[in-house]
Amino acid sequence: MASKFGLAGGIPERRVRPIWDAVDSRQYKSALKLCTALLAKHPTSPYALALKALTLERMGKPDEALSVCLEAKELLYSNNIFHFDDLTLSTLQIVFQRLERLDLATSCYEYACTKYPNNLELMMGLFNCYVREYSYVKQQQTALRMYKTVGEERFLLWAVCSIQLQAYFSSGGEKLLAFAEALLKKHISSHSLHEPEALSLYVSILEQQAKYDAALEVLSGDLGSLMGREEDKLRLQGRLLTQACNYVAASEIYQKVLESCPDDWESFLHYLGCLLERDVKLPKPTTGEHTCSSCSVDSNKTSLSEEVVESRLASALLFVQKLQKNDSSDSVRGPHLANIEIERQHCLSGNSTKFMEALVNYFHRFGHLSCSSSDVEIYLHMLSGDEITELLDTISRSFDASSVSVKALGLTITTFKVQELLGTLLSKSTTDLQRIAKGMVETFYKNLPLSRDLDPQESMHGEELLSMASNILVQLFWRTRNLGYLLEAVLVLEFGLTVRKHVWQYKITLVHLYSYLGALPLAHRWYVSLEVKNILLESVSHHILPQMLSSPCLQQTASLVKDYLRFMDDHLKESADLTCLAYRHRTYSKSVLENVNHGGGLVDLSSEDNMKHLTFNENLEARPWWTPTTSVNFLSEPIDESSTPARFRAKVCKHKSTEKDGPKMRDAERKCLVPRLVYLSMHGCVSSLRETEPNGSVSDITVGEMKTLLEKYARTIGYSMDDALSMILGISSGKKSMKDFAPDIVSWMSFAVFINAMNLWSNESVIPRTDPSSPSSWEIVDSLVKICIEEHLTDANRILTCPGNKIPLLVQMVTEPISWHLIIIQSCMRVVAPQGKKKKKSGPSLRPNMPQLQGIQRSVQCLIETLRSVQKWLSDQMSPEEQGLDILMSYLQGTGDEGPGQTFRVLEEKPAAHASELGDRIAQSLEAWSSTGVVRRIVGAEHEVLAEFKKMVDSKLKLLMSESASLSSVLH
């Protein structure tokens, strides 16, 4: 900012420089004093007022800042201003943007451009305003005006890019793109093009219109020289030739690319796809859907005969072997992977016996690299059980596992990784799994000296071993339900983070393990240590946010949500600024809530069209194997001993591929409805307590909206309105089982609460009463709340020794349906017994509806009794820390060869015995290692969760006791 100096509004630079310096250094009080002094000498200067507004906004005084900005705007519009410069306008624009009033900034620039129509700086400022408002048509018009004024290429490209954006986001794209092409052709004929980005933009315009031959002609001509790298030009030509179905020419182009860049795997797939005239499956962006770690050529779609296919595969193999000979380094893996893909194509045709040989050769060459197993994962899944065994034996015989070297360690890890990827560990016995997990930890420790001289920021050799050992221990817990294995899984990762604290894979797994154990404060601590920022807030927060939202840790949860919302708000504000930057730096290829209104805005989000476009931008690939999605946790299900590795992989893939259409989508839709339902419930129920107003005095529109929303709500839990009402009546009367509510018990309880609210003020009873003895809607909710809470308190065992316990569900019951019910009760009580207001001396008195008040009183009493039972249960759970520590440590004290404790003993014994071999840094870090300390933190974290939940219950009980006292005074 401080660089924007000169005469602005007739003010010398020396008078405004100190103000900018003070703002830049955050000395806002000093800046304000300087602004006041400046305005004393220049009271009618819009620039001086703009500086004051900027300072006020930075001081957190938005209303005052807006008032000063409007004053400056009025001065600009007056006829007394002779200095109408961009500096004043850009300063005002900064303030208006931060105040979320872009419309005012735009109007200032529009007025200025009307007054000075040929001023380029002002037109550029106006163009940027339209960019920030995503007004593509006005962007185009302004850019063309600048182009006609000065004839610069960049302004034409701004216009073309604006037209391209219109084509993306509006109808009539073909005509728009043709117009953009015509503009570029006219400019090229007279001035040519001078920037690489200009060429890319021109080619993209032609490509979007399927004018591939024209685009190829441009690249082959003089303009093609604008491409900085020949390989980039060749890749673009190859793509265009493929789209034009000229596969022979395209394969020749891709062959040239590979000769220059042999490790370009994507280009090889294009090359092979063009040779075989088949579609190419390229890597997909990481989404909630299942994606393979590799990609390959589609083997089903080709018009070529078998003889031609075999001939072209042989040609490809010769070419790949040539590439292998030309580069013998371990850094180029592409040609060797290409050999496997070619043999796979042979194999699918039934004409190859060398597929296995190609895989073995690849592992012999690159098996020591950490990426080798993931490179060939898609190919490993094609092997039979006998072939897998043969491959593992071949790899194991190729090195001495007892030696301490980086290469031997790498091959050992690869052997384990292949077993993990293929799921062969699922079929191992419990004894074998214990031995393998213990061996992994011992191998990690044995090879620690290899990392003694590494920088703390560098990855240690063998880090993956602890992750795999932890996964096996979790599998042992799933199989045996012995808590000791789960504790060992935690200890292994905590040990790894003691050695090196920067391993994000350990931290993410610990987030999930601690969440499952009920130690959410520890899960939150490790998540915070990941320092998740910017776009990662959207793709990584799923590891912790769902668990926190159903926890009593309100402060930490609020912090997570605020960070995410701030990122989204900033993105909406800043994405337009980034587009402005793209225009300014001529990188055109990169240019591509309001208030909820009492819940109305969120209801709009739940519309069918909006839900179709809803995406979950979560990177699920980093999640542990036992929780492939946010709504699935295999540890909460019984293990299927008969499941094969292939069936388990298919199950995981199914969960990932149906994530968007599954419970998560329905849950998002349902949550969009809740704020509006709460508002309507509060708004409508108060009239039912006034006998001077007839029942149903709330407008028919409100009643109709409530009914429509409840019908939609019922559909999100899989029922029609009538069937959902029948279900609620059945559960509350004991005729149906609570299992019928699973897994949406909280949603069912909330539905009952909203039905009761609507029943209070609807003309027609939503829940018909067949006779006077039939329960009222108040009594139905009371019964439902009592049954749901009591049943879960009965089922809930001691949370210290029962991971995956019922605490999250109980918290949700208290924070959602019970809270909605309490809000409705409080709304009614504000009408019956308003606090802090004196009764009017004249006018008709409003007599309360006594039957309804009695129903409210019974409901309040029921909630008090129910929450007291939760309060007592929580108190019983909160045992002394030392007692809890002894209980958990007892699960790790096994001394035999069976059961948990073997890996724990390795962690306890090895560090003390071999500290001298590890180097000073690692040895010093291990001095802080304490298994007991880790277990003690788990006990403390679980106790903290219980204490926070109890605090929440105590608060609601206090409110209910107050309402009970108010009701007693009204009824008596």
Side-chain angles (χ1 to χ4, degrees):
M1 288 182 186
S3 63
K4 295 182 177 179
F5 297 121
L7 287 176
I11 303 177
E13 176 187 342
R14 59 186 176 81
R15 293 200 176 276
V16 296
R17 181 187 291 275
I19 297 175
W20 281 110
D21 289 342
V23 170
D24 288 344
S25 59
R26 298 174 180 266
Q27 298 176 11
Y28 301 128
K29 289 185 178 180
S30 299
L32 186 60
K33 288 181 180 179
L34 292 170
C35 287
T36 304
L38 187 65
L39 279 167
K41 293 186 177 181
H42 304 276
T44 60
S45 168
Y47 184 46
L49 287 169
L51 289 173
K52 182 179 180 181
L54 177 69
T55 306
L56 288 169
E57 192 280 327
R58 296 296 173 88
M59 295 175 73
K61 299 179 179 181
D63 293 337
E64 293 182 43
L66 180 59
S67 177
V68 174
C69 277
L70 292 175
E71 185 181 348
K73 180 173 176 285
E74 289 301 318
L75 283 172
L76 285 172
Y77 279 41
S78 69
N79 294 322
N80 300 324
I81 299 300
F82 299 101
H83 299 279
F84 213 123
D85 60 309
D86 180 62
L87 183 55
T88 301
L89 291 173
S90 63
T91 306
L92 283 173
Q93 188 274 326
I94 292 171
V95 185
F96 280 135
Q97 183 176 0
R98 293 175 68 94
L99 295 174
E100 299 183 1
R101 291 302 307 270
L102 288 173
D103 57 314
L104 295 175
T106 303
S107 66
C108 287
Y109 271 103
E110 287 175 338
Y111 178 78
C113 288
T114 302
K115 197 168 183 179
Y116 302 100
N118 295 321
N119 187 307
L120 189 61
E121 279 193 348
L122 295 178
M123 283 193 283
M124 290 174 65
L126 179 60
F127 177 83
N128 288 333
C129 285
Y130 290 143
V131 170
R132 293 186 178 93
E133 293 182 344
Y134 302 97
S135 183
Y136 304 128
V137 175
K138 291 183 178 179
Q139 283 178 219
Q140 170 203 325
Q141 294 168 345
T142 307
L144 285 175
R145 200 182 311 145
M146 288 188 284
Y147 175 62
K148 290 176 182 178
T149 301
V150 296
E152 287 188 29
E153 178 181 291
R154 58 170 171 158
F155 297 128
L156 174 66
L157 298 177
W158 289 13
V160 169
C161 197
S162 301
I163 294 170
Q164 199 172 25
L165 289 169
Q166 289 178 64
Y168 285 145
F169 297 108
S170 63
S171 59
E174 292 181 4
K175 293 182 179 179
L176 288 168
L177 292 172
F179 176 49
E181 181 189 352
L183 287 173
L184 284 168
K185 276 186 175 179
K186 183 178 179 182
H187 179 83
I188 291 170
S189 65
S190 58
H191 298 88
S192 188
L193 293 176
H194 303 90
E195 300 175 17
E197 280 284 338
L199 175 62
S200 297
L201 187 61
Y202 186 28
V203 170
S204 72
I205 292 289
L206 294 171
E207 190 176 5
Q208 282 178 268
Q209 299 176 86
K211 295 184 177 181
Y212 307 121
D213 292 337
L216 285 164
E217 186 179 346
V218 170
L219 287 175
S220 302
D222 294 338
L223 291 177
S225 61
L226 289 174
M227 279 284 183
R229 296 182 70 238
E230 183 65 19
E231 293 83 3
D232 292 339
K233 178 181 174 181
L234 290 172
R235 290 188 185 98
L236 183 52
Q237 287 177 323
R239 187 178 78 205
L240 293 167
L241 286 166
T242 303
Q243 290 173 321
C245 297
N246 191 344
Y247 296 115
V248 175
S251 64
E252 293 173 355
I253 290 291
Y254 282 120
Q255 190 166 326
K256 291 180 181 178
V257 175
L258 291 169
E259 288 171 348
S260 176
C261 307
D263 216 20
D264 187 343
W265 179 243
E266 185 176 327
S267 289
F268 169 75
L269 291 178
H270 282 302
Y271 164 69
L272 191 58
C274 290
L275 275 181
L276 304 180
E277 298 185 13
R278 293 172 175 169
D279 292 338
V280 179
K281 292 181 177 178
L282 295 175
K284 298 178 181 178
T286 302
T287 64
E289 299 181 358
H290 174 62
T291 56
C292 292
S293 57
S294 302
C295 52
S296 61
V297 178
D298 192 327
S299 58
N300 298 319
K301 300 176 182 179
T302 183
S303 59
L304 302 177
S305 66
E306 185 176 333
E307 292 77 12
V308 173
V309 168
E310 288 301 314
S311 172
R312 293 189 178 184
L313 285 175
S315 173
L317 184 60
L318 288 173
F319 173 62
V320 165
Q321 289 172 346
K322 177 184 174 183
L323 293 178
Q324 291 175 1
K325 290 179 182 177
N326 292 339
D327 195 320
S328 59
S329 67
D330 285 350
S331 60
V332 178
R333 310 189 310 278
H336 301 271
L337 277 172
N339 191 23
I340 299 174
E341 175 60 27
I342 292 170
E343 292 302 332
R344 186 184 83 95
Q345 295 293 327
H346 277 303
C347 190
L348 292 172
S349 303
N351 298 319
S352 173
T353 57
K354 296 184 177 181
F355 178 64
M356 185 69 174
E357 180 185 334
L359 273 173
V360 170
N361 289 338
Y362 186 82
F363 279 114
H364 280 160
R365 181 71 178 272
F366 301 105
H368 62 286
L369 300 178
S370 60
C371 60
S372 59
S373 55
S374 58
D375 282 346
V376 297
E377 180 180 356
I378 191 173
Y379 305 113
L380 293 174
H381 291 312
M382 297 177 60
L383 300 178
S384 65
D386 291 340
E387 288 173 328
I388 291 171
T389 302
E390 180 188 345
L391 177 65
L392 291 172
D393 289 343
T394 303
I395 298 174
S396 299
R397 290 195 303 268
S398 67
F399 69 98
D400 180 8
S402 62
S403 65
V404 178
S405 69
V406 173
K407 188 164 186 177
L409 177 61
L411 286 163
T412 301
I413 292 171
T414 296
T415 306
F416 286 134
K417 275 188 176 181
V418 170
Q419 296 180 70
E420 187 177 57
L421 286 173
L422 293 173
T424 56
L425 296 175
L426 287 170
S427 57
K428 299 282 186 182
S429 68
T430 299
T431 302
D432 285 343
L433 289 177
Q434 290 173 349
R435 175 182 54 79
I436 292 170
K438 179 183 176 183
M440 286 177 171
V441 177
E442 288 178 331
T443 302
F444 171 80
Y445 198 85
K446 180 180 72 174
N447 288 275
L448 260 182
L450 295 174
S451 304
R452 62 183 295 164
D453 297 323
L454 295 178
D455 187 271
Q457 298 289 337
E458 292 184 82
S459 296
M460 292 184 299
H461 298 294
E463 278 182 358
E464 301 98 323
L465 287 167
L466 296 188
S467 289
M468 290 188 286
S470 178
N471 285 337
I472 291 175
L473 290 166
V474 173
Q475 184 182 329
L476 283 168
F477 164 76
W478 190 27
R479 182 180 293 185
T480 66
R481 311 310 296 183
N482 189 319
L483 180 60
Y485 289 122
L486 206 60
L487 293 174
E488 282 188 305
V490 169
L491 290 172
V492 164
L493 298 177
E494 287 278 9
F495 176 80
L497 287 167
T498 302
V499 178
R500 179 174 174 267
K501 63 181 180 180
H502 302 293
V503 189
W504 64 268
Q505 294 92 336
Y506 296 173
K507 294 179 181 181
I508 284 180
T509 305
L510 280 173
V511 166
H512 289 278
L513 286 173
Y514 281 136
S515 296
Y516 185 68
L517 282 165
L520 275 169
L522 291 178
H524 179 261
R525 189 190 76 178
W526 281 122
Y527 177 80
V528 170
S529 73
L530 289 168
E531 297 183 354
V532 176
K533 299 174 183 176
N534 301 324
I535 191 62
L536 289 178
L537 287 165
E538 188 168 21
S539 60
V540 175
S541 61
H542 63 92
H543 290 291
I544 187 70
L545 193 54
Q547 302 94 289
M548 296 299 290
L549 288 173
S550 58
S551 80
C553 306
L554 300 182
Q555 186 174 353
Q556 296 96 319
T557 306
S559 176
L560 289 173
V561 173
K562 284 178 181 177
D563 286 344
Y564 179 72
L565 291 177
R566 188 182 303 116
F567 160 72
M568 294 303 295
D569 289 341
D570 289 345
H571 169 72
L572 292 173
K573 294 176 184 176
E574 294 172 5
S575 58
D577 287 337
L578 293 175
T579 309
C580 291
L581 204 61
Y583 281 115
R584 188 182 307 160
H585 292 292
R586 308 178 189 186
T587 51
Y588 309 109
S589 55
K590 302 184 184 301
S591 298
V592 175
L593 283 153
E594 58 185 22
N595 294 332
V596 294
N597 187 28
H598 302 297
L602 290 174
V603 171
D604 293 339
L605 287 177
S606 70
S607 68
E608 186 175 350
D609 287 342
N610 283 329
M611 295 307 291
K612 283 181 181 178
H613 293 94
L614 180 63
T615 58
F616 300 104
N617 301 322
E618 300 168 339
N619 179 12
L620 300 181
E621 300 307 308
R623 293 183 70 87
W625 65 266
W626 67 86
T627 172
T629 70
T630 56
S631 56
V632 175
N633 191 317
F634 295 140
L635 302 185
S636 300
E637 307 170 3
I639 189 172
D640 182 3
E641 296 288 355
S642 64
S643 178
T644 63
R647 284 172 58 189
F648 183 77
R649 285 198 306 273
K651 185 178 181 181
V652 171
C653 291
K654 182 180 178 181
H655 281 305
K656 288 185 176 181
S657 62
T658 59
E659 173 78 347
K660 179 175 179 179
D661 300 322
K664 187 166 185 174
M665 182 64 72
R666 295 193 299 273
D667 188 52
E669 183 180 1
R670 187 165 53 247
K671 285 180 177 176
C672 285
L673 304 175
V674 169
R676 185 64 177 172
L677 285 169
V678 172
Y679 170 76
L680 291 175
S681 299
M682 294 167 57
H683 178 70
C685 66
V686 294
S687 64
S688 65
L689 299 176
R690 298 173 176 171
E691 289 187 350
T692 55
E693 297 183 13
N695 190 27
S697 61
V698 181
S699 72
D700 292 337
I701 295 177
T702 304
V703 175
E705 182 185 3
M706 186 79 171
K707 185 177 180 181
T708 300
L709 293 180
L710 284 173
E711 288 173 346
K712 190 172 182 180
Y713 189 101
R715 288 197 297 272
T716 66
I717 47 180
Y719 284 76
S720 67
M721 182 76 157
D722 291 340
D723 290 342
L725 289 172
S726 176
M727 178 70 74
I728 288 172
L729 289 170
I731 298 289
S732 63
S733 62
K735 295 178 182 179
K736 290 183 179 290
S737 168
M738 277 288 299
K739 293 180 181 178
D740 295 326
F741 270 1
D744 295 316
I745 182 170
V746 174
S747 301
W748 278 106
M749 292 172 69
S750 294
F751 180 73
V753 169
F754 297 137
I755 286 291
N756 170 56
M758 181 177 173
N759 198 60
L760 294 178
W761 43 271
S762 176
N763 283 323
E764 298 179 5
S765 179
V766 183
I767 303 178
R769 301 182 68 178
T770 55
D771 56 71
S773 63
S774 298
S776 66
S777 59
W778 285 104
E779 291 169 329
I780 290 171
V781 173
D782 297 343
S783 175
L784 201 61
V785 169
K786 188 174 182 181
I787 290 171
C788 293
I789 293 286
E790 287 184 353
E791 181 151 335
H792 281 83
L793 287 180
T794 303
D795 289 345
N797 298 311
R798 183 174 178 79
I799 73 161
L800 188 66
T801 56
C802 294
N805 54 70
K806 300 296 179 75
I807 284 285
L809 190 56
L810 286 168
V811 170
Q812 282 185 285
M813 290 180 183
V814 172
T815 56
E816 293 183 38
I818 289 180
S819 292
W820 313 148
H821 198 42
L822 182 53
I823 287 172
I824 292 168
I825 289 171
Q826 287 179 298
S827 298
C828 295
M829 291 304 300
R830 286 194 184 97
V831 177
V832 175
Q835 298 179 356
K837 294 183 179 179
K838 295 182 180 180
K839 294 182 179 180
K840 294 181 179 179
K841 295 182 179 179
S842 60
S845 62
L846 297 177
R847 291 177 296 162
N849 186 324
M850 296 306 291
Q852 291 287 16
L853 279 182
Q854 290 167 353
I856 293 175
Q857 187 181 42
R858 287 191 296 269
S859 193
V860 168
Q861 194 57 39
C862 176
L863 287 177
I864 290 173
E865 293 172 3
T866 302
L867 289 180
R868 278 178 175 167
S869 65
V870 176
Q871 189 183 52
K872 181 180 182 304
W873 179 82
L874 288 170
S875 298
D876 294 341
Q877 293 282 333
M878 298 170 72
S879 57
E881 183 180 284
E882 292 300 323
Q883 181 182 341
L885 178 63
D886 292 340
I887 291 172
L888 291 188
M889 291 299 294
S890 67
Y891 284 90
L892 298 167
Q893 301 304 324
T895 56
D897 294 333
E898 297 293 329
Q902 298 178 52
T903 306
F904 168 70
R905 288 195 295 275
V906 173
L907 296 177
E908 291 296 285
E909 297 166 3
K910 293 287 184 182
H914 303 283
S916 61
E917 304 172 9
L918 305 178
D920 292 340
R921 182 183 63 80
I922 296 177
Q924 288 174 7
S925 65
L926 288 178
E927 289 178 2
W929 168 247
S930 169
S931 299
T932 303
V934 173
V935 178
R936 186 184 295 277
R937 289 196 293 272
I938 293 174
V939 175
E942 292 179 348
H943 188 280
E944 183 180 339
V945 171
L946 290 171
E948 289 296 322
F949 189 19
K950 187 174 181 298
K951 191 186 301 181
M952 184 186 296
V953 172
D954 292 345
S955 173
K956 295 203 180 299
L957 273 172
K958 185 177 179 181
L959 276 174
L960 285 165
M961 295 299 292
S962 174
E963 300 299 343
S964 178
S966 298
L967 278 165
S968 297
S969 64
V970 172
L971 290 171
H972 298 94

